[in-house]
Amino acid sequence: MQKVNIAIIGCGTIALANHLPGITMCQSARLVALCDNNPVVLAQAGKLAALDRLYSDYQALLGQPNLDAVIVTAPNFAHAPVVLAAVKAGKHVLCEKPLALDYQQSLTMLKAAEAAGVRHMTAFTYRFVPAMHYMSYLVGQGAIGAPYHFRANRFQDWGDRGLGWRQSLKLAGSGELGDMLSHRIDYAHLLVGQTRRVVAQTRQYLETRGGQPADVDDYVSMLAEYSTGATGVLESSKMATGRGEGARSQDYCEVNGSEGTLVYMLNRPHELQVGRKGGAGLETVPVPEEFLKWPGSPRDPHQGDPLVTFRYDQDWEFIDAIQSDRPCQPSFKEGVQAQAVMEAVLESGRRQSWIEVNYD
């Protein structure tokens, strides 16, 4: 089987920390080119990847021969035009979340990818945490019975640090909502079903970050009802003073069902807490060996920092889906569903009322 030739469009931190080592791990793929409109960033990425096929124009990149797929890690405002150009050129696409600036953009991207017959994937990275993968399996097997309650939170302390394009509404589409709560919205869809309606609040605490104007939310919370009848409580903040940031800050998810409870925490990626009906409380259980990496991944789950290396499995899933000619998990469809909920959250915040989620 021929190797999958991949290019990365957008050479910031996510590209270099997640996708570069992820592609390198996969012997069935090779990174052949990089693209970024910042010449300094592009040169640094080229040096790190030991590549000399470097492009400042993504259209020029997409016109090159011997290119099968692209990974889009450019800022949010560039996702739609880059993805649409890539699928028009017949390239398979893995795109960072959120897919677009709004729901209609994301739906257009999904329809275009389906019409082109290319593989498409949304980078909901935390699905690949072993504990979340195992949690999803247990819920799907009925281990906790019918789901009653879902809750998730993401608490980080970013203070007044500059966030670059992420602190601009026209470039990012939203703040904490798209950056971090989008992942927790996807947790819920994975574990307890589609969101039916929400009531939500967003808050902007800082008008400047890093000495530059900011006009996006620093905090978001929501109540939700799901297609399964479960209720949800979700909360995410960049202003949780003292919580730190990154993988060791709080990322918590809990599902209560008729027969038991499951609790996931990102900073304990190889274990879950389990509560059983009639039990005295939660007990910690290890994630079984077969769930410590994504099916088929060549990654050794006992090597490296487990708070980092799970991220490489999403690139394996993308590459394997291309070679196996099967849908990616998660696909653009899951990205569109999360975008629909985000749009309802923003509308609810404006109206101060419950809003039905529109997936049409």
Side-chain angles (χ1 to χ4, degrees):
M1 186 176 294
Q2 289 188 334
K3 287 191 176 185
V4 178
N5 292 325
I6 300 176
I8 297 176
I9 301 176
C11 297
T13 301
I14 295 298
L16 302 183
N18 293 0
H19 299 293
L20 178 56
I23 296 168
T24 302
M25 177 187 75
C26 301
Q27 293 186 354
S28 56
R30 60 188 162 209
L31 181 65
V32 298
L34 297 170
C35 179
D36 199 289
N37 62 8
N38 184 319
V40 175
V41 170
L42 183 60
Q44 290 174 341
K47 184 176 180 179
L48 182 64
L51 279 177
D52 55 12
R53 286 183 65 186
L54 307 178
Y55 297 84
S56 59
D57 179 356
Y58 68 86
Q59 294 281 12
L61 166 67
L62 294 171
Q64 296 301 306
N66 302 318
L67 179 63
D68 304 308
V70 296
I71 297 175
V72 179
T73 59
N76 295 354
F77 71 92
H79 288 182
V82 172
V83 167
L84 291 173
V87 298
K88 184 178 180 181
K91 312 306 179 187
H92 308 289
V93 184
L94 165 55
C95 183
E96 280 295 330
K97 58 79 226 165
L99 273 185
L101 295 180
D102 57 47
Y103 173 72
Q104 283 302 323
Q105 271 192 351
S106 69
L107 188 60
T108 298
M109 293 159 68
L110 170 61
K111 290 180 177 179
E114 289 179 335
V118 298
R119 301 303 105 204
H120 48 89
M121 182 175 177
T122 304
F124 281 132
T125 313
Y126 298 110
R127 282 194 179 210
F128 296 87
V129 179
M132 178 54 69
H133 185 203
Y134 185 45
M135 188 176 187
S136 172
Y137 169 80
L138 290 176
V139 172
Q141 292 295 304
I144 62 168
Y148 288 154
H149 308 304
F150 170 88
R151 60 185 62 84
N153 57 55
R154 183 70 162 121
F155 296 152
Q156 298 188 87
D157 178 7
W158 287 63
D160 61 355
R161 273 181 49 194
L163 303 177
W165 60 265
R166 288 180 176 83
Q167 67 193 50
S168 168
L169 184 63
K170 69 178 182 179
L171 302 181
S174 66
E176 186 68 359
L177 173 60
D179 191 22
M180 287 294 149
L181 197 73
S182 59
H183 284 293
R184 280 80 231 171
I185 290 169
D186 183 61
Y187 287 175
H189 289 171
L190 178 65
L191 297 170
V192 300
Q194 277 196 345
T195 312
R196 288 201 311 108
R197 65 175 190 150
V198 302
V199 62
Q201 178 189 38
T202 63
R203 287 285 301 274
Q204 181 183 353
Y205 286 92
L206 300 179
E207 295 183 357
T208 60
R209 285 185 168 276
Q212 299 297 318
D215 60 353
V216 296
D217 52 287
D218 304 307
Y219 169 86
V220 57
S221 62
M222 58 181 275
L223 301 178
E225 293 180 358
Y226 297 97
S227 57
T228 55
T231 64
V233 181
L234 296 82
E235 185 180 22
S236 194
S237 179
K238 279 188 167 53
M239 307 300 295
T241 304
R243 283 287 190 175
E245 61 184 77
R248 289 172 173 81
S249 57
Q250 177 148 317
D251 178 357
Y252 177 94
C253 177
E254 177 171 346
V255 181
N256 312 121
S258 58
E259 303 301 318
T261 284
L262 296 172
V263 174
Y264 151 94
M265 290 178 285
L266 174 60
N267 59 11
R268 308 300 293 268
H270 288 180
E271 64 185 45
L272 287 176
Q273 290 183 328
V274 178
R276 296 178 172 84
K277 189 173 183 178
L282 300 178
E283 61 177 301
T284 299
V285 300
V287 173
E289 185 73 21
E290 62 266 31
F291 289 93
L292 291 181
K293 64 177 183 177
W294 202 251
S297 169
R299 182 174 63 86
D300 183 345
H302 303 291
Q303 295 293 319
D305 183 349
L307 291 175
V308 175
T309 56
F310 74 85
R311 300 168 185 271
Y312 309 158
D313 284 357
Q314 67 181 340
D315 296 285
W316 164 260
E317 164 63 16
F318 179 51
I319 292 161
D320 187 62
I322 293 170
Q323 293 197 312
S324 302
D325 194 26
R326 61 170 177 81
C328 300
Q329 288 296 327
S331 71
F332 280 6
K333 181 179 179 180
E334 284 74 23
V336 169
Q337 290 171 345
Q339 200 93 40
V341 178
M342 289 166 54
E343 200 139 298
V345 166
L346 293 172
E347 184 66 15
S348 176
R350 287 189 290 266
R351 293 193 187 185
Q352 299 283 288
S353 64
W354 284 93
I355 299 293
E356 300 285 331
V357 180
N358 180 14
Y359 295 105
D360 293 336

